[in-house]
Amino acid sequence: MTHTRARVALHPDFRVGPVDRRLFGSFVEHLGRAVYTGIYEPGHTTADEHGFRRDVADLARELGVTMLRYPGGNFVSNYRWEDGVGPVADRKPFLDLAWRTVEPNLVGTDEFLQWAEREGFEPMMAVNLGTRGVEAAAALVEYCNGEAGTRWADLRIANGRAEPYGVRLWCLGNEMDGPWQIGHKDAHEYGRLAAEAGKAMKLVDPSISLVVCGSSSMQMDTFGEWEQTVLTYTYDLVDHISMHAYYEELDGDRASFLASGTAMDRFIDRVAASADAVGARRRSDKTITISFDEWNVWYLESRFPGETNLPVQRDAPRIIEDVYSALDAVVVGDLLATLLNHADRVPVAALAQLVNVIAPIMTEPGGEAWRQPTFHPFATTARLARGEALDVRVDSPTTTTTRHGDVPLLTAAATHDPETGALALFLTNRSAEAVEVDVEHLGLGVELAEGWRMVADHEAAVEGPAHARRVVDACWSAVDLAADVATGARATTVTLAPESWTALAGTARRA
Ligand code: AHR
C-alpha cells in the first residue's frame, strides 16, 4: 500500500523555549453546571466535607490541569465578588445577566480558592471591569492577598481565612471588546480603565501578574487595532495579553475543521506582531506574552442559541454541554501541540472549560462523572510534555482548505527534558489517508517507551457516559511500538492512521 510521506526533524539544541506548566490550565466559570453539580455538589456520594465532588477533583487531577481561571468568563462582568463571601446564610442570590441564570452565591471566592488550594490547582482570578472598576478590583486583590490590618484583608480573616491566598495571576476583565459583554467598552475606554485598575491592583500587591483583554476572537472587526490600542495604555503595566478562540466543524467542512491548529497558529503570530508593534514604537525591551485563556472546540455557531435567547433559569441549568466526538479530540490534540510550538510566547493557557460546560469532564447530578474523548489528548500531553519545546521542522504535503487556505497535512510538536532525557512527540495527521512519517532525531539516540493515539470517527454525537466510553473504546488506543514504529539510529518511522492524533514518548540521549 502506498502512503503519503512526511518528514520531521528534531535536535535537542534547537528549542522554542521551556514548557510552562501553566500551559495546561483550564477554566471554571459560574455558567450552567460548571460549579453547581460540576465541581460542587453537597450531598453527592463523593462530596467532601466542603461539598465538593471528589470524583470530579480526581478526574481534574488525572487530566493534568495545573491552573484554573475563575469566576468567568462573561459572568465576571456583572459579578459583585462581595456577595459571594461571608456566612453562606447571609448571601443573596442574584440574576446573572451574562447567562440569564440565578446565581445562588453558595460558592464564592473563598470556597473556590480553598478548593483549588486543597486540590493543588493554581488559581487565576478575573476582576469585573464591566459593571465595576478600580475600587472593586483593588479590594478583591486585597481580600485575596492582603496581610492583616486593612479592611478587605481583615474581612477575609473574619470569614475564616487567616493566611493570604497569594493569587499571582489576574485577568483585567473578560472579552471587553465583545458587544455581548455586560459593560462592553471600546478599546480606549477599556484601555484606560484596565490601566487604572491594574495600577491600583499592583499597588495593593506588586507581585501579581496582569492579563489585559485581547480580542475575543480573530474574527472580531476590531481585531488588531484593539490589541494595539489597549496595549498603548497598558504596555508597561501588564505581563500578558489574552487570546480566546473556539473552533467547530461548520457546513460539513471537515478539512477546515481539522486545520484549526493552523488558524490558531496564525492567530498567535498576529497577536504577537500587534503587541510587538506597540513595543517597537515605545522602543521597549519588554515582551508581552500571551495568556491563551480560553480555547477549545465549541459548537458555538451550530448548536448554541446565543445568550439573549436563553430563558431566565435557576438551579444550575444545562447550558452549552457539548458532547464531543473523536474528531473533536483529534483537533484538541492538534491545538495543544500548536500551543507547545509557541511555548516561548504562550506561557499561560486555559482549556475552556473544565466540567460540564464545553468540557473534558462531565457529570450527572447525583450520578457519575466521566471523561469525554477530548480528555485523552489533553491528559496525555499534560503528562508527557516536559522540559523544553523543541523547534521541530516539518516537511509535509499540504492541502487547500476553504477557510484557512493552504495547510500542512501533518503537524508536529516535541518536548525534551535535558535533565531526565524525557522525549515526547505529538503528531497530527489531518489527511483522510494514512501518512508515513520519518522522524529524524539528529544527534539523539531515541528509545520509545509508550505511544497513544486518537483516531477520528464519523459518529454523530449522542449524550451520556455510554457514548463517551464507546467512542473512546473505538478510537483511543495504545500504539503498538513493536509493530507500528521502527526506530533506527537516526530516525524513527511511524505510520499515522487517517485523521488521527498520536503521542510517542520515551527517552532521548545525545548519541
Ligand atoms: O467559555 C464560555 C464563554 O466564552 C466565556 O464566558 C466567554 O468569555 C467566552 O465568550
Side-chain angles (χ1 to χ4, degrees), residues 182-205:
I182 310 296
H184 157 66
K185 295 174 174 53
D186 72 28
H188 291 280
E189 290 165 341
Y190 170 67
R192 267 195 291 271
L193 178 59
E196 291 307 313
K199 179 174 84 184
M201 291 161 74
K202 278 211 167 179
L203 285 169
V204 175
D205 182 352

mmCIF file with all atom_site columns, all heavy atoms in Angstrom, residues 182-205:
data_model
loop_
_atom_site.group_PDB
_atom_site.id
_atom_site.type_symbol
_atom_site.label_atom_id
_atom_site.label_alt_id
_atom_site.label_comp_id
_atom_site.label_asym_id
_atom_site.label_entity_id
_atom_site.label_seq_id
_atom_site.pdbx_PDB_ins_code
_atom_site.Cartn_x
_atom_site.Cartn_y
_atom_site.Cartn_z
_atom_site.occupancy
_atom_site.B_iso_or_equiv
_atom_site.pdbx_formal_charge
_atom_site.auth_seq_id
_atom_site.auth_comp_id
_atom_site.auth_asym_id
_atom_site.auth_atom_id
_atom_site.pdbx_PDB_model_num
ATOM 1   N N   . ILE A 1 182 ? -21.408 42.324 29.333 1.00 0.00 ? 182 ILE A N   1
ATOM 2   C CA  . ILE A 1 182 ? -22.075 43.323 30.163 1.00 0.00 ? 182 ILE A CA  1
ATOM 3   C C   . ILE A 1 182 ? -21.032 44.396 30.482 1.00 0.00 ? 182 ILE A C   1
ATOM 4   O O   . ILE A 1 182 ? -19.960 44.095 30.992 1.00 0.00 ? 182 ILE A O   1
ATOM 5   C CB  . ILE A 1 182 ? -22.591 42.708 31.488 1.00 0.00 ? 182 ILE A CB  1
ATOM 6   C CG1 . ILE A 1 182 ? -23.394 41.423 31.248 1.00 0.00 ? 182 ILE A CG1 1
ATOM 7   C CG2 . ILE A 1 182 ? -23.396 43.726 32.287 1.00 0.00 ? 182 ILE A CG2 1
ATOM 8   C CD1 . ILE A 1 182 ? -24.669 41.563 30.475 1.00 0.00 ? 182 ILE A CD1 1
ATOM 9   N N   . GLY A 1 183 ? -21.358 45.647 30.135 1.00 0.00 ? 183 GLY A N   1
ATOM 10  C CA  . GLY A 1 183 ? -20.401 46.729 30.361 1.00 0.00 ? 183 GLY A CA  1
ATOM 11  C C   . GLY A 1 183 ? -19.331 46.804 29.281 1.00 0.00 ? 183 GLY A C   1
ATOM 12  O O   . GLY A 1 183 ? -18.231 47.340 29.522 1.00 0.00 ? 183 GLY A O   1
ATOM 13  N N   . HIS A 1 184 ? -19.651 46.272 28.093 1.00 0.00 ? 184 HIS A N   1
ATOM 14  C CA  . HIS A 1 184 ? -18.739 46.318 26.933 1.00 0.00 ? 184 HIS A CA  1
ATOM 15  C C   . HIS A 1 184 ? -18.188 47.739 26.728 1.00 0.00 ? 184 HIS A C   1
ATOM 16  O O   . HIS A 1 184 ? -18.889 48.724 26.917 1.00 0.00 ? 184 HIS A O   1
ATOM 17  C CB  . HIS A 1 184 ? -19.543 45.846 25.706 1.00 0.00 ? 184 HIS A CB  1
ATOM 18  C CG  . HIS A 1 184 ? -19.010 46.307 24.398 1.00 0.00 ? 184 HIS A CG  1
ATOM 19  N ND1 . HIS A 1 184 ? -17.786 45.893 23.922 1.00 0.00 ? 184 HIS A ND1 1
ATOM 20  C CD2 . HIS A 1 184 ? -19.529 47.127 23.459 1.00 0.00 ? 184 HIS A CD2 1
ATOM 21  C CE1 . HIS A 1 184 ? -17.576 46.450 22.736 1.00 0.00 ? 184 HIS A CE1 1
ATOM 22  N NE2 . HIS A 1 184 ? -18.627 47.198 22.431 1.00 0.00 ? 184 HIS A NE2 1
ATOM 23  N N   . LYS A 1 185 ? -16.936 47.810 26.300 1.00 0.00 ? 185 LYS A N   1
ATOM 24  C CA  . LYS A 1 185 ? -16.306 49.114 26.113 1.00 0.00 ? 185 LYS A CA  1
ATOM 25  C C   . LYS A 1 185 ? -15.555 49.146 24.801 1.00 0.00 ? 185 LYS A C   1
ATOM 26  O O   . LYS A 1 185 ? -15.183 48.101 24.275 1.00 0.00 ? 185 LYS A O   1
ATOM 27  C CB  . LYS A 1 185 ? -15.319 49.385 27.266 1.00 0.00 ? 185 LYS A CB  1
ATOM 28  C CG  . LYS A 1 185 ? -16.038 49.498 28.595 1.00 0.00 ? 185 LYS A CG  1
ATOM 29  C CD  . LYS A 1 185 ? -15.114 49.624 29.769 1.00 0.00 ? 185 LYS A CD  1
ATOM 30  C CE  . LYS A 1 185 ? -15.925 49.871 31.035 1.00 0.00 ? 185 LYS A CE  1
ATOM 31  N NZ  . LYS A 1 185 ? -17.010 48.902 31.294 1.00 0.00 ? 185 LYS A NZ  1
ATOM 32  N N   . ASP A 1 186 ? -15.306 50.371 24.308 1.00 0.00 ? 186 ASP A N   1
ATOM 33  C CA  . ASP A 1 186 ? -14.408 50.437 23.148 1.00 0.00 ? 186 ASP A CA  1
ATOM 34  C C   . ASP A 1 186 ? -12.969 50.366 23.657 1.00 0.00 ? 186 ASP A C   1
ATOM 35  O O   . ASP A 1 186 ? -12.710 50.398 24.866 1.00 0.00 ? 186 ASP A O   1
ATOM 36  C CB  . ASP A 1 186 ? -14.713 51.647 22.256 1.00 0.00 ? 186 ASP A CB  1
ATOM 37  C CG  . ASP A 1 186 ? -14.304 52.986 22.866 1.00 0.00 ? 186 ASP A CG  1
ATOM 38  O OD1 . ASP A 1 186 ? -13.349 53.019 23.679 1.00 0.00 ? 186 ASP A OD1 1
ATOM 39  O OD2 . ASP A 1 186 ? -14.937 54.006 22.526 1.00 0.00 ? 186 ASP A OD2 1
ATOM 40  N N   . ALA A 1 187 ? -12.043 50.257 22.740 1.00 0.00 ? 187 ALA A N   1
ATOM 41  C CA  . ALA A 1 187 ? -10.645 49.974 23.129 1.00 0.00 ? 187 ALA A CA  1
ATOM 42  C C   . ALA A 1 187 ? -10.051 51.088 23.993 1.00 0.00 ? 187 ALA A C   1
ATOM 43  O O   . ALA A 1 187 ? -9.262  50.818 24.911 1.00 0.00 ? 187 ALA A O   1
ATOM 44  C CB  . ALA A 1 187 ? -9.802  49.747 21.885 1.00 0.00 ? 187 ALA A CB  1
ATOM 45  N N   . HIS A 1 188 ? -10.438 52.339 23.701 1.00 0.00 ? 188 HIS A N   1
ATOM 46  C CA  . HIS A 1 188 ? -9.892  53.440 24.512 1.00 0.00 ? 188 HIS A CA  1
ATOM 47  C C   . HIS A 1 188 ? -10.476 53.430 25.923 1.00 0.00 ? 188 HIS A C   1
ATOM 48  O O   . HIS A 1 188 ? -9.751  53.573 26.905 1.00 0.00 ? 188 HIS A O   1
ATOM 49  C CB  . HIS A 1 188 ? -10.172 54.783 23.825 1.00 0.00 ? 188 HIS A CB  1
ATOM 50  C CG  . HIS A 1 188 ? -9.372  54.954 22.570 1.00 0.00 ? 188 HIS A CG  1
ATOM 51  N ND1 . HIS A 1 188 ? -8.059  55.335 22.580 1.00 0.00 ? 188 HIS A ND1 1
ATOM 52  C CD2 . HIS A 1 188 ? -9.714  54.752 21.269 1.00 0.00 ? 188 HIS A CD2 1
ATOM 53  C CE1 . HIS A 1 188 ? -7.597  55.374 21.326 1.00 0.00 ? 188 HIS A CE1 1
ATOM 54  N NE2 . HIS A 1 188 ? -8.584  55.029 20.517 1.00 0.00 ? 188 HIS A NE2 1
ATOM 55  N N   . GLU A 1 189 ? -11.800 53.233 25.992 1.00 0.00 ? 189 GLU A N   1
ATOM 56  C CA  . GLU A 1 189 ? -12.433 53.191 27.328 1.00 0.00 ? 189 GLU A CA  1
ATOM 57  C C   . GLU A 1 189 ? -11.836 52.045 28.150 1.00 0.00 ? 189 GLU A C   1
ATOM 58  O O   . GLU A 1 189 ? -11.479 52.224 29.313 1.00 0.00 ? 189 GLU A O   1
ATOM 59  C CB  . GLU A 1 189 ? -13.942 52.942 27.192 1.00 0.00 ? 189 GLU A CB  1
ATOM 60  C CG  . GLU A 1 189 ? -14.715 54.091 26.619 1.00 0.00 ? 189 GLU A CG  1
ATOM 61  C CD  . GLU A 1 189 ? -16.121 53.675 26.175 1.00 0.00 ? 189 GLU A CD  1
ATOM 62  O OE1 . GLU A 1 189 ? -16.398 52.466 25.965 1.00 0.00 ? 189 GLU A OE1 1
ATOM 63  O OE2 . GLU A 1 189 ? -16.940 54.587 26.013 1.00 0.00 ? 189 GLU A OE2 1
ATOM 64  N N   . TYR A 1 190 ? -11.734 50.879 27.516 1.00 0.00 ? 190 TYR A N   1
ATOM 65  C CA  . TYR A 1 190 ? -11.220 49.724 28.253 1.00 0.00 ? 190 TYR A CA  1
ATOM 66  C C   . TYR A 1 190 ? -9.744  49.904 28.596 1.00 0.00 ? 190 TYR A C   1
ATOM 67  O O   . TYR A 1 190 ? -9.316  49.619 29.718 1.00 0.00 ? 190 TYR A O   1
ATOM 68  C CB  . TYR A 1 190 ? -11.437 48.426 27.456 1.00 0.00 ? 190 TYR A CB  1
ATOM 69  C CG  . TYR A 1 190 ? -10.687 47.278 28.100 1.00 0.00 ? 190 TYR A CG  1
ATOM 70  C CD1 . TYR A 1 190 ? -11.072 46.800 29.350 1.00 0.00 ? 190 TYR A CD1 1
ATOM 71  C CD2 . TYR A 1 190 ? -9.558  46.720 27.495 1.00 0.00 ? 190 TYR A CD2 1
ATOM 72  C CE1 . TYR A 1 190 ? -10.356 45.776 29.975 1.00 0.00 ? 190 TYR A CE1 1
ATOM 73  C CE2 . TYR A 1 190 ? -8.840  45.698 28.119 1.00 0.00 ? 190 TYR A CE2 1
ATOM 74  C CZ  . TYR A 1 190 ? -9.243  45.236 29.370 1.00 0.00 ? 190 TYR A CZ  1
ATOM 75  O OH  . TYR A 1 190 ? -8.528  44.248 29.993 1.00 0.00 ? 190 TYR A OH  1
ATOM 76  N N   . GLY A 1 191 ? -8.968  50.374 27.630 1.00 0.00 ? 191 GLY A N   1
ATOM 77  C CA  . GLY A 1 191 ? -7.530  50.539 27.867 1.00 0.00 ? 191 GLY A CA  1
ATOM 78  C C   . GLY A 1 191 ? -7.257  51.447 29.054 1.00 0.00 ? 191 GLY A C   1
ATOM 79  O O   . GLY A 1 191 ? -6.423  51.140 29.923 1.00 0.00 ? 191 GLY A O   1
ATOM 80  N N   . ARG A 1 192 ? -8.015  52.559 29.106 1.00 0.00 ? 192 ARG A N   1
ATOM 81  C CA  . ARG A 1 192 ? -7.823  53.497 30.226 1.00 0.00 ? 192 ARG A CA  1
ATOM 82  C C   . ARG A 1 192 ? -8.222  52.848 31.547 1.00 0.00 ? 192 ARG A C   1
ATOM 83  O O   . ARG A 1 192 ? -7.521  52.951 32.548 1.00 0.00 ? 192 ARG A O   1
ATOM 84  C CB  . ARG A 1 192 ? -8.658  54.769 30.000 1.00 0.00 ? 192 ARG A CB  1
ATOM 85  C CG  . ARG A 1 192 ? -7.880  55.883 29.298 1.00 0.00 ? 192 ARG A CG  1
ATOM 86  C CD  . ARG A 1 192 ? -8.599  57.216 29.417 1.00 0.00 ? 192 ARG A CD  1
ATOM 87  N NE  . ARG A 1 192 ? -9.833  57.198 28.630 1.00 0.00 ? 192 ARG A NE  1
ATOM 88  C CZ  . ARG A 1 192 ? -9.907  57.538 27.353 1.00 0.00 ? 192 ARG A CZ  1
ATOM 89  N NH1 . ARG A 1 192 ? -8.826  57.936 26.711 1.00 0.00 ? 192 ARG A NH1 1
ATOM 90  N NH2 . ARG A 1 192 ? -11.056 57.514 26.704 1.00 0.00 ? 192 ARG A NH2 1
ATOM 91  N N   . LEU A 1 193 ? -9.373  52.158 31.546 1.00 0.00 ? 193 LEU A N   1
ATOM 92  C CA  . LEU A 1 193 ? -9.846  51.530 32.787 1.00 0.00 ? 193 LEU A CA  1
ATOM 93  C C   . LEU A 1 193 ? -8.894  50.410 33.230 1.00 0.00 ? 193 LEU A C   1
ATOM 94  O O   . LEU A 1 193 ? -8.553  50.299 34.417 1.00 0.00 ? 193 LEU A O   1
ATOM 95  C CB  . LEU A 1 193 ? -11.266 50.970 32.586 1.00 0.00 ? 193 LEU A CB  1
ATOM 96  C CG  . LEU A 1 193 ? -11.874 50.231 33.776 1.00 0.00 ? 193 LEU A CG  1
ATOM 97  C CD1 . LEU A 1 193 ? -11.943 51.146 35.007 1.00 0.00 ? 193 LEU A CD1 1
ATOM 98  C CD2 . LEU A 1 193 ? -13.271 49.709 33.438 1.00 0.00 ? 193 LEU A CD2 1
ATOM 99  N N   . ALA A 1 194 ? -8.450  49.601 32.275 1.00 0.00 ? 194 ALA A N   1
ATOM 100 C CA  . ALA A 1 194 ? -7.543  48.493 32.616 1.00 0.00 ? 194 ALA A CA  1
ATOM 101 C C   . ALA A 1 194 ? -6.249  49.054 33.209 1.00 0.00 ? 194 ALA A C   1
ATOM 102 O O   . ALA A 1 194 ? -5.705  48.496 34.182 1.00 0.00 ? 194 ALA A O   1
ATOM 103 C CB  . ALA A 1 194 ? -7.258  47.642 31.383 1.00 0.00 ? 194 ALA A CB  1
ATOM 104 N N   . ALA A 1 195 ? -5.771  50.153 32.658 1.00 0.00 ? 195 ALA A N   1
ATOM 105 C CA  . ALA A 1 195 ? -4.517  50.740 33.165 1.00 0.00 ? 195 ALA A CA  1
ATOM 106 C C   . ALA A 1 195 ? -4.697  51.224 34.604 1.00 0.00 ? 195 ALA A C   1
ATOM 107 O O   . ALA A 1 195 ? -3.824  51.008 35.458 1.00 0.00 ? 195 ALA A O   1
ATOM 108 C CB  . ALA A 1 195 ? -4.085  51.885 32.256 1.00 0.00 ? 195 ALA A CB  1
ATOM 109 N N   . GLU A 1 196 ? -5.834  51.842 34.869 1.00 0.00 ? 196 GLU A N   1
ATOM 110 C CA  . GLU A 1 196 ? -6.053  52.371 36.229 1.00 0.00 ? 196 GLU A CA  1
ATOM 111 C C   . GLU A 1 196 ? -6.337  51.246 37.226 1.00 0.00 ? 196 GLU A C   1
ATOM 112 O O   . GLU A 1 196 ? -5.830  51.262 38.352 1.00 0.00 ? 196 GLU A O   1
ATOM 113 C CB  . GLU A 1 196 ? -7.197  53.398 36.226 1.00 0.00 ? 196 GLU A CB  1
ATOM 114 C CG  . GLU A 1 196 ? -6.841  54.693 35.508 1.00 0.00 ? 196 GLU A CG  1
ATOM 115 C CD  . GLU A 1 196 ? -5.552  55.314 36.035 1.00 0.00 ? 196 GLU A CD  1
ATOM 116 O OE1 . GLU A 1 196 ? -5.376  55.425 37.265 1.00 0.00 ? 196 GLU A OE1 1
ATOM 117 O OE2 . GLU A 1 196 ? -4.693  55.680 35.197 1.00 0.00 ? 196 GLU A OE2 1
ATOM 118 N N   . ALA A 1 197 ? -7.151  50.287 36.805 1.00 0.00 ? 197 ALA A N   1
ATOM 119 C CA  . ALA A 1 197 ? -7.446  49.165 37.711 1.00 0.00 ? 197 ALA A CA  1
ATOM 120 C C   . ALA A 1 197 ? -6.166  48.375 37.976 1.00 0.00 ? 197 ALA A C   1
ATOM 121 O O   . ALA A 1 197 ? -5.851  48.033 39.127 1.00 0.00 ? 197 ALA A O   1
ATOM 122 C CB  . ALA A 1 197 ? -8.517  48.260 37.098 1.00 0.00 ? 197 ALA A CB  1
ATOM 123 N N   . GLY A 1 198 ? -5.408  48.104 36.911 1.00 0.00 ? 198 GLY A N   1
ATOM 124 C CA  . GLY A 1 198 ? -4.165  47.337 37.062 1.00 0.00 ? 198 GLY A CA  1
ATOM 125 C C   . GLY A 1 198 ? -3.176  48.062 37.948 1.00 0.00 ? 198 GLY A C   1
ATOM 126 O O   . GLY A 1 198 ? -2.493  47.438 38.782 1.00 0.00 ? 198 GLY A O   1
ATOM 127 N N   . LYS A 1 199 ? -3.099  49.374 37.781 1.00 0.00 ? 199 LYS A N   1
ATOM 128 C CA  . LYS A 1 199 ? -2.182  50.171 38.618 1.00 0.00 ? 199 LYS A CA  1
ATOM 129 C C   . LYS A 1 199 ? -2.551  50.013 40.095 1.00 0.00 ? 199 LYS A C   1
ATOM 130 O O   . LYS A 1 199 ? -1.694  49.734 40.945 1.00 0.00 ? 199 LYS A O   1
ATOM 131 C CB  . LYS A 1 199 ? -2.260  51.640 38.191 1.00 0.00 ? 199 LYS A CB  1
ATOM 132 C CG  . LYS A 1 199 ? -1.383  52.578 38.970 1.00 0.00 ? 199 LYS A CG  1
ATOM 133 C CD  . LYS A 1 199 ? -1.420  53.977 38.365 1.00 0.00 ? 199 LYS A CD  1
ATOM 134 C CE  . LYS A 1 199 ? -2.622  54.755 38.870 1.00 0.00 ? 199 LYS A CE  1
ATOM 135 N NZ  . LYS A 1 199 ? -2.749  56.076 38.229 1.00 0.00 ? 199 LYS A NZ  1
ATOM 136 N N   . ALA A 1 200 ? -3.845  50.149 40.385 1.00 0.00 ? 200 ALA A N   1
ATOM 137 C CA  . ALA A 1 200 ? -4.291  50.032 41.785 1.00 0.00 ? 200 ALA A CA  1
ATOM 138 C C   . ALA A 1 200 ? -4.055  48.616 42.311 1.00 0.00 ? 200 ALA A C   1
ATOM 139 O O   . ALA A 1 200 ? -3.609  48.432 43.452 1.00 0.00 ? 200 ALA A O   1
ATOM 140 C CB  . ALA A 1 200 ? -5.774  50.400 41.885 1.00 0.00 ? 200 ALA A CB  1
ATOM 141 N N   . MET A 1 201 ? -4.326  47.622 41.484 1.00 0.00 ? 201 MET A N   1
ATOM 142 C CA  . MET A 1 201 ? -4.150  46.222 41.926 1.00 0.00 ? 201 MET A CA  1
ATOM 143 C C   . MET A 1 201 ? -2.688  45.955 42.242 1.00 0.00 ? 201 MET A C   1
ATOM 144 O O   . MET A 1 201 ? -2.348  45.304 43.235 1.00 0.00 ? 201 MET A O   1
ATOM 145 C CB  . MET A 1 201 ? -4.655  45.264 40.840 1.00 0.00 ? 201 MET A CB  1
ATOM 146 C CG  . MET A 1 201 ? -6.167  45.298 40.657 1.00 0.00 ? 201 MET A CG  1
ATOM 147 S SD  . MET A 1 201 ? -6.691  44.610 39.064 1.00 0.00 ? 201 MET A SD  1
ATOM 148 C CE  . MET A 1 201 ? -6.442  42.860 39.321 1.00 0.00 ? 201 MET A CE  1
ATOM 149 N N   . LYS A 1 202 ? -1.801  46.486 41.408 1.00 0.00 ? 202 LYS A N   1
ATOM 150 C CA  . LYS A 1 202 ? -0.367  46.258 41.674 1.00 0.00 ? 202 LYS A CA  1
ATOM 151 C C   . LYS A 1 202 ? 0.134   47.079 42.860 1.00 0.00 ? 202 LYS A C   1
ATOM 152 O O   . LYS A 1 202 ? 1.128   46.723 43.485 1.00 0.00 ? 202 LYS A O   1
ATOM 153 C CB  . LYS A 1 202 ? 0.451   46.575 40.410 1.00 0.00 ? 202 LYS A CB  1
ATOM 154 C CG  . LYS A 1 202 ? 0.455   45.420 39.417 1.00 0.00 ? 202 LYS A CG  1
ATOM 155 C CD  . LYS A 1 202 ? 1.738   45.365 38.604 1.00 0.00 ? 202 LYS A CD  1
ATOM 156 C CE  . LYS A 1 202 ? 1.832   44.048 37.870 1.00 0.00 ? 202 LYS A CE  1
ATOM 157 N NZ  . LYS A 1 202 ? 3.019   43.902 37.045 1.00 0.00 ? 202 LYS A NZ  1
ATOM 158 N N   . LEU A 1 203 ? -0.554  48.196 43.149 1.00 0.00 ? 203 LEU A N   1
ATOM 159 C CA  . LEU A 1 203 ? -0.173  48.941 44.359 1.00 0.00 ? 203 LEU A CA  1
ATOM 160 C C   . LEU A 1 203 ? -0.552  48.153 45.609 1.00 0.00 ? 203 LEU A C   1
ATOM 161 O O   . LEU A 1 203 ? 0.133   48.207 46.623 1.00 0.00 ? 203 LEU A O   1
ATOM 162 C CB  . LEU A 1 203 ? -0.831  50.324 44.359 1.00 0.00 ? 203 LEU A CB  1
ATOM 163 C CG  . LEU A 1 203 ? -0.183  51.325 43.387 1.00 0.00 ? 203 LEU A CG  1
ATOM 164 C CD1 . LEU A 1 203 ? -1.039  52.573 43.225 1.00 0.00 ? 203 LEU A CD1 1
ATOM 165 C CD2 . LEU A 1 203 ? 1.228   51.705 43.848 1.00 0.00 ? 203 LEU A CD2 1
ATOM 166 N N   . VAL A 1 204 ? -1.641  47.390 45.516 1.00 0.00 ? 204 VAL A N   1
ATOM 167 C CA  . VAL A 1 204 ? -2.015  46.527 46.648 1.00 0.00 ? 204 VAL A CA  1
ATOM 168 C C   . VAL A 1 204 ? -1.005  45.391 46.778 1.00 0.00 ? 204 VAL A C   1
ATOM 169 O O   . VAL A 1 204 ? -0.528  45.072 47.867 1.00 0.00 ? 204 VAL A O   1
ATOM 170 C CB  . VAL A 1 204 ? -3.439  45.943 46.445 1.00 0.00 ? 204 VAL A CB  1
ATOM 171 C CG1 . VAL A 1 204 ? -3.772  44.949 47.558 1.00 0.00 ? 204 VAL A CG1 1
ATOM 172 C CG2 . VAL A 1 204 ? -4.478  47.054 46.390 1.00 0.00 ? 204 VAL A CG2 1
ATOM 173 N N   . ASP A 1 205 ? -0.672  44.761 45.644 1.00 0.00 ? 205 ASP A N   1
ATOM 174 C CA  . ASP A 1 205 ? 0.268   43.632 45.668 1.00 0.00 ? 205 ASP A CA  1
ATOM 175 C C   . ASP A 1 205 ? 1.145   43.683 44.416 1.00 0.00 ? 205 ASP A C   1
ATOM 176 O O   . ASP A 1 205 ? 0.735   43.232 43.340 1.00 0.00 ? 205 ASP A O   1
ATOM 177 C CB  . ASP A 1 205 ? -0.504  42.309 45.727 1.00 0.00 ? 205 ASP A CB  1
ATOM 178 C CG  . ASP A 1 205 ? 0.449   41.108 45.797 1.00 0.00 ? 205 ASP A CG  1
ATOM 179 O OD1 . ASP A 1 205 ? 1.679   41.303 45.649 1.00 0.00 ? 205 ASP A OD1 1
ATOM 180 O OD2 . ASP A 1 205 ? -0.044  39.988 45.994 1.00 0.00 ? 205 ASP A OD2 1
#
